Amino acid sequence: MIPELGHFALLLALTLSLGLAMFPALGVRFQSPVLMRTGFSLAFGVFSFLLVSFLLAEIFGFFRFLCLYISSLVSKLIIDKLSSLLTFLCTPIMS
C-alpha cells in the first residue's frame, strides 16, 4: 500500500505542476493578480507532494530490507536449532 500512496502523491504533484505552468502564465496574459499569485501555493504543493513521495519510497525500501533481513535471520536460526536438535537426537542412534 505504501508504493501506491507514493505514486498517488506523484500524480498529485504532476497535476499541480501542470497548474503551475498554466495559471501564472494565464494571469500575466490576462492581467489577473489572483492567477499570478497562485504560483507560490502551487509550487509549495508540488514540493510537498514530491517530498511525501520520496519519504514513502524510503520507508518502503527500509521496511522491505528490514523484513528480508529478519526473515533470513529467523530462517538461519531455525535451521541451526533444527540441525543441533537432529544431531542431539540422532547421536545415540548412530553410536
Side-chain angles (χ1 to χ4, degrees):
M1 187 67 189
I2 291 176
E4 288 84 3
L5 290 175
H7 286 123
F8 184 67
L10 279 178
L11 287 174
L12 288 176
L14 174 67
T15 305
L16 288 178
S17 66
L18 291 175
L20 182 62
M22 288 178 18
F23 292 133
L26 289 174
V28 170
R29 171 74 171 100
F30 296 117
Q31 297 298 317
S32 172
V34 175
L35 286 176
M36 287 185 215
R37 284 194 301 256
T38 61
F40 177 75
S41 301
L42 290 172
F44 183 74
V46 169
F47 173 74
S48 300
F49 283 117
L50 285 177
L51 182 66
V52 166
S53 176
F54 176 75
L55 290 176
L56 287 174
E58 289 296 317
I59 290 170
F60 174 71
F62 174 74
F63 281 119
R64 183 172 180 216
F65 172 73
L66 185 66
C67 290
L68 289 174
Y69 182 69
I70 289 173
S71 66
S72 69
L73 286 179
V74 168
S75 66
K76 287 178 185 177
L77 181 66
I78 290 173
I79 289 172
D80 289 343
K81 291 293 182 184
L82 284 178
S83 66
S84 63
L85 179 67
L86 287 175
T87 305
F88 175 74
L89 291 176
C90 295
T91 303
I93 297 173
M94 293 180 164
S95 46

